[in-house]
Amino acid sequence: MFVSENLGVNENGHLTIGGIDTVDLAQEYGTPLYVMDEQVIRSNLRRFHESMQKYYDGKGEVHYASKAFSCLEMCRIVASEGDGLDAVSIGELYTAVKAGFPMEKVGFHGNNKTDEELEYAIEVGVGHIIVDNLPELRRLEKIAAEKGVKPHIMFRIKPGIDAHTHDFVKTGQIDSKFGFALETGEAFEAVKEAVSCENVKLVGLHCHIGSQIFDIDPFVEAAKVMLGLIAKIKDNLGYEIAGLNLGGGFGIKYLNEHDPVPFEKYLEKVSEAVKSECARLNITQPMIYIEPGRSIAAPAGITLYKVGARKEIPNIRTYISVDGGMADSPRYILYGSEYEAIVANKANEERTEKVTIAGKCCESGDLIGENMPLQHAESGDIIAVCATGAYNYSMSSNYNRLQKPAVVFVNNGQSRIAVKRETLDDIIRNDI
Ligand SMILES: *Cc1c(COP(=O)(O)O)cnc(C)c1O
């Protein structure tokens, strides 16, 4: 009935998540509120994990892309499932460290890492650093020499694959700020330099072609292209690349009409391509890593808001204004992303209207969505927006000096705070 399978309706006609009444959650913790269902996170991690084990005969690892949603509790959950993590900043690394995450299972990304970040990554012992460009390689070589260590690195490669997704989240084509281009020979030249470095060890290649991708083909193509590069490196330099990271980007269901391929299917198809290409190219199958973010966190989350004003503009549209907006839900203003919404206290009623749900920020573009089918919503109702577990909390801001909402985890009928709501003093804590 709803986009996310963990949502239901109870005897009061209220929306439930993980068996808990969302209207009660709104009352207990206040709104806006991010709610994450721990069981969904765990089950998604396990689905990826088990498929990687199965399709790569134990030579596959899952690294959750923490930029999708990160906090101490999320890092602890990923660690407890035995999976790795991908971090893209010193802040994401720090969160993992403070959560007690096993740092050897962390990959450190970024197209413009600072020296401070590289030094920190080395100090905390990340498993590998995914190097984006030659100046970074040279800086890292120098830092490693000074510290007398030899960090493991991978190279971020642009495989030249069009991922058929929104321009802002495409990353595999030549016109991208991320990584070394393959077609131009830039990637191969960089590998040549890396294998002669004394203070870093090149252990893998990495690609990530984009996000919210619904086709299998671009993933298969990217894997083939990357294996071709691994074969070229072996044939020309006599150097064996031990690991191949194929990134994340698996599409999820935001609306009922979305029909993503189950991610087991992606992994199965890609693994078939990997195996046959390795045989054809006569290379040993590398360790395969994937980095799903959205597909793990998004379906686990909802955001709860309280309705304030209802504004009917005859022959134009009806605005339903809620107590949050682009500060906690920035994907609409960024990419025009669509979501399903439900009036949580009228969840068993028909959706009889199509409305624009507006935020409370001082921007006309501050919307949760337009043309959204919804139950008749009035002041005081609670609205749930579905599948908001990824790239909402993690992209939230204090625009208009709004306090960031709390994050609550639910688990089989129990709820607990994972991130406190910001206080007014938090808003001015760094002001002097
Ligand atoms: C964003 C990103 C991911 C995760 O992408 P999702 O679409 O959330 O699965 C994985 N790897 C890298 C390098 C990324 O930049």
Side-chain angles (χ1 to χ4, degrees), residues 151-407:
H152 287 188
I153 65 164
M154 292 198 180
F155 268 154
R156 171 79 179 249
I157 309 290
K158 294 186 262 199
I161 302 292
D162 185 349
H164 310 293
T165 186
H166 193 292
D167 278 348
F168 288 6
V169 291
K170 267 185 199 172
T171 50
Q173 72 286 9
I174 194 160
D175 180 6
S176 165
K177 69 172 181 172
F178 299 104
F180 298 95
L182 194 140
E183 297 107 294
T184 59
E186 183 192 17
F188 183 73
E189 288 306 312
V191 169
K192 257 197 203 157
E193 177 164 336
V195 300
S196 70
C197 283
E198 273 174 29
N199 302 296
V200 299
K201 184 169 161 67
L202 180 67
V203 298
L205 299 183
H206 174 283
C207 70
H208 169 73
I209 55 175
S211 198
Q212 187 60 359
I213 301 168
F214 280 120
D215 301 344
I216 296 184
D217 291 350
F219 289 104
V220 168
E221 282 313 304
K224 286 188 183 167
V225 165
M226 296 295 285
L227 289 164
L229 178 58
I230 289 178
K232 180 175 172 189
I233 293 165
K234 183 185 166 200
D235 295 345
N236 290 276
L237 306 175
Y239 191 85
E240 287 219 35
I241 299 287
L244 174 59
N245 190 324
L246 294 170
F250 311 103
I252 68 124
K253 189 167 173 158
Y254 283 108
L255 296 177
N256 270 312
E257 60 257 39
H258 291 163
D259 189 20
V261 185
F263 36 78
E264 288 84 353
K265 199 80 203 158
Y266 286 105
L267 301 186
E268 182 185 0
K269 290 286 167 206
V270 173
S271 75
E272 284 166 6
V274 165
K275 285 179 181 165
S276 65
E277 279 299 280
C278 287
R280 192 179 71 80
L281 296 165
N282 192 27
I283 52 176
T284 316
Q285 186 198 299
M287 181 78 184
I288 305 290
Y289 302 84
I290 54 164
E291 297 169 330
R294 183 193 310 276
S295 47
I296 287 169
I302 59 171
T303 309
L304 298 175
Y305 300 100
K306 187 176 265 178
V307 176
R310 176 185 172 99
K311 192 170 285 178
E312 291 178 25
I313 308 178
N315 304 321
I316 308 220
R317 65 168 98 201
T318 297
Y319 283 102
I320 304 291
S321 291
V322 296
D323 54 357
M326 61 184 278
D328 59 77
S329 175
R331 292 183 63 254
Y332 183 83
I333 202 160
L334 273 173
Y335 332 108
S337 312
E338 294 182 283
Y339 288 107
E340 175 177 350
I342 302 158
V343 176
N345 49 308
K346 300 173 180 169
N348 56 1
E349 292 179 18
E350 288 290 306
R351 288 182 229 202
T352 50
E353 318 192 302
K354 281 204 167 175
V355 300
T356 294
I357 302 182
K360 61 178 285 155
C361 294
C362 296
E363 302 268 335
S364 292
D366 167 32
L367 305 175
I368 304 294
E370 294 176 271
N371 264 318
M372 299 175 90
L374 197 68
Q375 294 85 355
H376 184 84
E378 288 166 63
S379 180
D381 284 344
I382 301 296
I383 286 184
V385 180
C386 305
T388 57
Y391 304 111
N392 274 265
Y393 171 67
S394 67
M395 282 186 166
S396 64
S397 76
N398 290 110
Y399 181 49
N400 286 166
R401 298 231 134 187
L402 294 180
Q403 296 148 251
K404 287 190 189 174
V407 182

